[in-house]
Amino acid sequence: MERIAIDMDEVIADALAKFIKLYNRDYNIPLDLKIDAGNEIYQHVPENINQKWFDYINEPGFFRDLEVIPDSQKVIKALQEKYDVYIVSAAMEFRNSLIDKYDWLAEHFPFIDWQHIMFCGKKIVDADIIIDDRSKNFVNFKGRTLLYTSPHNLLITEYERVNTWEEVAGLLL
């Protein structure tokens, strides 16, 4: 059975929407989801507070209540019928995210066994397919890469792209 490695943030968990919500709450400066292609979220806020993104994601609880990316649950459940599915997140980057991410997965993806959750630093994984929003995780990956669309990666053209989980289903199911 082929293995699929699936990223969390901006692939199944909407961290971008959470940042925008917190930013709007704290600064009362409108920031919406219309973000210029190829830019990171912090490039759309005033320079004197553009590091607030990193403060937010390092707070305990930031990752615990993220919204689920539409259709990810039903498609991943269907993928499990055909593939050996793993959730692979660079959770070590944000120390406080480990428990949040584990609990979030248990709540929203209870059908994914704990043995199929990999929290790591660098995503060096032995899989046949990887679905991620960060192309840096495709470097030296030997399998099929699916770049999940996020504003920061819209200018990247050298990888197969998926915009929704329905598109993932169309390609892999």
Side-chain angles (χ1 to χ4, degrees):
M1 187 178 282
E2 286 188 307
R3 288 188 196 123
I4 298 179
I6 301 171
D7 180 38
M8 284 185 71
D9 302 325
E10 295 309 304
V11 177
I12 63 173
D14 196 347
L16 186 59
K18 172 90 179 261
F19 170 75
I20 290 169
K21 177 181 170 185
L22 293 174
Y23 177 84
N24 287 339
R25 177 199 71 194
D26 292 350
Y27 295 100
N28 201 24
I29 302 169
L31 178 67
D32 60 30
L33 287 173
K34 187 172 185 206
I35 298 170
D36 295 335
N39 284 348
E40 298 288 347
I41 185 73
Y42 64 82
Q43 294 171 304
H44 292 271
V45 299
E47 190 173 336
N48 63 319
I49 54 175
N50 70 5
Q51 294 302 305
K52 191 61 180 172
W53 166 252
F54 300 103
D55 293 341
Y56 289 144
I57 59 178
N58 281 299
E59 289 177 8
F62 177 85
F63 292 94
R64 182 58 186 95
D65 63 349
L66 299 179
E67 293 295 319
V68 177
I69 299 289
D71 300 317
S72 59
Q73 292 158 306
K74 83 173 177 186
V75 173
I76 290 172
K77 192 167 186 121
L79 287 171
Q80 286 182 312
E81 301 291 321
K82 187 175 176 183
Y83 300 93
D84 199 11
V85 175
Y86 291 85
I87 301 300
V88 181
S89 178
M92 299 305 294
E93 184 176 2
F94 309 112
R95 179 175 181 250
N96 292 317
S97 77
L98 293 167
I99 292 171
D100 288 348
K101 287 185 175 201
Y102 183 83
D103 290 345
W104 186 89
L105 283 166
E107 178 182 346
H108 298 289
F109 293 83
F111 50 88
I112 296 176
D113 184 86
W114 67 270
Q115 294 178 22
H116 285 239
I117 299 170
M118 301 169 69
F119 292 146
C120 55
K122 197 168 189 170
K123 293 183 186 176
I124 302 171
V125 293
D126 182 16
D128 301 289
I129 301 166
I130 188 170
I131 304 170
D132 205 309
D133 67 303
R134 297 277 174 190
S135 61
K136 70 181 182 181
N137 295 315
F138 299 161
V139 175
N140 297 322
F141 184 77
K142 307 235 184 298
R144 183 177 183 184
T145 57
L146 296 177
L147 184 64
Y148 199 91
T149 295
S150 186
H152 66 83
N153 69 31
L154 288 174
L155 300 178
I156 297 171
T157 59
E158 61 265 26
Y159 298 102
E160 186 176 7
R161 179 177 294 279
V162 288
N163 298 297
T164 66
W165 275 95
E166 288 300 322
E167 286 183 23
V168 172
L171 291 171
L172 299 179
L173 292 175

